[in-house]
Amino acid sequence: MSTTTWLPDLIYVNGRFESDRAIVCDDGKIQEITKRDDGIRLKNRALLPGLVNAHSHAFQRIIRGRTEHRSQHTTDSFWTWREQMYAAANRLGPEEIYNASRLAFLEMALTGITAVGEFHYIHHAPDGSTYDDPNLLAREVIRAAHDVGIRIALLRVAYARAGFEKEPNPQQIRFIEQSPDTYLKHLEQLLDAPELKTGMAWAGVAPHSVRAVPLDYLKTIVTFANERGLPVHMHVAEQPAEVSACIEEYGRSPVALLDTEGLLSKRFTAVHAIHVTPKAIASLARAGAVVCGCPTTERNLGDGVVPVDAYFDAGVRVALGSDSQIQIDLLEDARELEYHLRLQKTARNVLAPVNDDSSSALARRLFDCATVRGAESIGFNGGKLEPGAPADFFTVDLDDPSIAGAATEDLLANIVFSLARTAIRDVVVAGKQIVSHGLHG
Ligand SMILES: [Zn+2]
């Protein structure tokens, strides 16, 4: 197996940029980061670990710009947006799902994202019938990621009902698998698919929400995931209405329900987790669960602000997702975690660690959310540059106007707070270059 050596000006290792270092890759992994002068020279480039997008609905890329106007409702909200999104979802066949996903994944690759957690819930044909292969659409999404060249965790969604005491919603017939047995049978078929044996794709369990999956069903599939060591992702407390419906049904908030039923764990990622109490935050911390914030989507949908300051204080790990794809720019998500809190609290550097006043301390925390925390959330050993880790990384142009003139010690803060997406030049996944000079292919 031939090794490839890359020689950028700077490499981000152990939380800081080092010069005079080469990154040596072999068999899709990083072999060493060392002093070497032979290899592929990446002039005026800084090299960083690939970004990990922990929460995506790839097909929603096609409604970008199509929901930014008043609908027929007096007031627009998450729920009126959802009707528009369903209308689009219900018109997509397998080929369209592939094309929409490929478009989203291509944009992700160009922005330095090397792995994605795809929260996939369209399973059936538009009339609600199951395809001959019940994972046809999931496999089309995996094929799109494969053709672009990024890694994918296919988080296969369980969806059983419209909600507590709600009539079935005909717009959801493509998502529904009525029983946990059907869901698990289909999941096991997916786990056996050849494309999941390559290291580039794997599966996880994704109960959609407490609204869409009743408790017994939820317990059955989370138990299965825990026995197999699979990641578990779930939308939690995105909207106040979801919290009040859960209290009405179970007498407990979503996080309290998950906690008291023993469903939280280190493998559990609570997506959004916005409308939570201090007690809920403490429960997530105790369980070692991850929270995935999606701030570009959350501000677009009017969801609210993720209380990341409280999560950090409690020691909860926070990952990031591009979710609705209104923007695909994980560094924008990273800076918005902080910016939303600045607006809410009329203060600055809210998320900066207390005992570290170095100029990139806050940026380091936010960059960890976009890399290593995302990798932990979707269940792989990525998001960092060290021997044995996957050879997944991207470079930025140090001469780009958005970061030109940055001193080495301020460079990460320049990248996290100011980098233009177009400054991303090279992207490598599993040692294979998929973006060169800002172009894919
Ligand atoms: Zn989502």
Side-chain angles (χ1 to χ4, degrees):
M1 186 65 68
S2 66
T3 58
T4 308
T5 303
W6 312 79
L7 298 160
D9 289 25
L10 297 164
I11 300 185
Y12 186 73
V13 192
N14 292 330
R16 61 168 197 266
F17 283 100
E18 303 274 7
S19 56
D20 295 326
R21 292 279 192 284
I23 183 163
V24 185
C25 302
D26 186 21
D27 198 19
K29 294 205 170 85
I30 298 168
Q31 198 177 61
E32 55 178 338
I33 297 168
T34 182
K35 280 194 193 308
R36 285 265 284 264
D37 12 322
D38 58 315
I40 300 167
R41 178 80 179 101
L42 298 168
K43 198 167 155 39
N44 296 329
R45 302 279 184 269
L47 188 149
L48 300 99
L51 305 177
V52 180
N53 184 3
H55 187 72
S56 156
H57 308 284
F59 80 87
Q60 292 179 10
R61 173 64 182 80
I62 61 163
I63 57 166
R64 183 182 291 179
R66 291 169 182 250
T67 63
E68 310 303 323
H69 60 88
R70 278 194 191 282
S71 67
Q72 68 276 28
H73 300 274
T74 322
T75 309
D76 278 311
S77 67
F78 169 86
W79 305 102
T80 63
W81 168 84
R82 197 181 69 157
E83 287 173 20
Q84 296 171 300
M85 182 271 285
Y86 282 170
N90 286 325
R91 290 160 63 177
L92 303 175
E95 194 62 25
E96 286 93 8
I97 293 276
Y98 169 81
N99 285 330
S101 302
R102 191 155 164 242
L103 177 62
F105 297 150
L106 174 64
E107 189 179 355
M108 288 180 199
L110 291 169
T111 60
I113 290 168
T114 54
V116 62
E118 176 64 22
F119 198 98
H120 174 76
Y121 55 83
I122 308 179
H123 301 310
H124 308 308
D127 65 0
S129 61
T130 306
Y131 289 110
D132 289 345
D133 174 358
N135 291 298
L136 175 68
L137 299 181
R139 295 176 72 181
E140 287 295 296
V141 175
I142 294 170
R143 184 164 71 93
H146 173 266
D147 289 352
V148 169
I150 65 171
R151 296 180 200 269
I152 182 168
L154 196 291
L155 306 165
R156 195 181 188 286
V157 171
Y159 209 110
R161 61 175 193 180
F164 176 53
E165 292 182 343
K166 284 214 161 106
E167 290 300 311
N169 179 342
Q171 299 257 61
Q172 295 167 345
I173 54 170
R174 301 189 73 182
F175 321 155
I176 304 271
E177 284 164 332
Q178 288 288 358
S179 76
D181 292 347
T182 307
Y183 172 82
L184 289 178
K185 187 175 86 183
H186 294 166
L187 176 66
E188 285 191 303
Q189 287 169 4
L190 179 65
L191 289 166
D192 281 339
E195 57 268 44
L196 267 71
K197 314 285 182 199
T198 63
M200 291 296 285
W202 60 97
V205 169
H208 181 277
S209 53
V210 290
R211 166 170 54 76
V213 184
L215 184 57
D216 285 351
Y217 192 138
L218 184 58
K219 282 173 148 173
T220 305
I221 66 173
V222 172
T223 302
F224 177 91
N226 289 342
E227 284 167 5
R228 301 289 188 100
L230 302 175
V232 181
H233 279 225
M234 188 171 188
H235 292 127
V236 177
E238 179 174 8
Q239 285 281 325
E242 176 203 326
V243 178
S244 47
C246 187
I247 291 171
E248 201 184 326
E249 182 172 10
Y250 298 109
R252 289 164 280 176
S253 72
V255 175
L257 177 73
L258 295 165
D259 183 36
T260 51
E261 298 295 337
L263 300 173
L264 298 175
S265 71
K266 287 186 170 60
R267 277 190 306 281
F268 188 97
T269 294
V271 180
H272 304 299
I274 294 169
H275 303 284
V276 290
T277 60
K279 201 173 160 196
I281 291 170
S283 303
L284 290 162
R286 210 169 37 244
V290 181
V291 163
C292 182
C294 308
T296 54
T297 291
E298 287 150 0
R299 72 174 178 181
N300 183 271
L301 298 181
D303 285 338
V305 175
V306 185
V308 184
D309 51 341
Y311 283 127
F312 278 178
D313 286 350
V316 174
R317 297 171 293 163
V318 176
L320 293 168
S322 66
D323 195 2
S324 72
Q325 329 296 1
I326 184 63
Q327 279 178 281
I328 296 178
D329 185 348
L330 222 55
L331 294 174
E332 173 69 14
D333 281 292
R335 66 185 74 111
E336 281 178 21
L337 279 186
E338 164 72 21
Y339 281 165
H340 289 173
L341 290 168
R342 289 189 189 184
L343 290 171
Q344 194 181 51
K345 295 176 187 301
T346 57
R348 302 191 74 250
N349 302 323
V350 179
L351 297 175
V354 177
N355 298 319
D356 185 349
D357 62 357
S358 63
S359 62
S360 283
L362 169 59
R364 233 178 354 255
R365 255 190 155 174
L366 298 174
F367 191 70
D368 280 353
C369 297
T371 51
V372 67
R373 302 289 166 254
E376 290 165 1
S377 163
I378 66 171
F380 87 118
N381 176 37
K384 56 199 167 189
L385 300 178
E386 62 183 37
D392 297 359
F393 46 81
F394 69 100
T395 70
V396 300
D397 178 5
L398 292 168
D399 291 335
D400 188 85
S402 65
I403 55 165
T408 304
E409 61 270 26
D410 308 329
L411 179 58
L412 191 71
N414 274 261
I415 289 171
V416 168
F417 285 97
S418 308
L419 188 83
R421 281 178 15 166
T422 46
I424 291 172
R425 308 313 293 161
D426 311 285
V427 180
V428 170
V429 184
K432 184 176 168 223
Q433 186 153 8
I434 61 167
V435 172
S436 309
H437 307 293
L439 297 174
H440 182 266

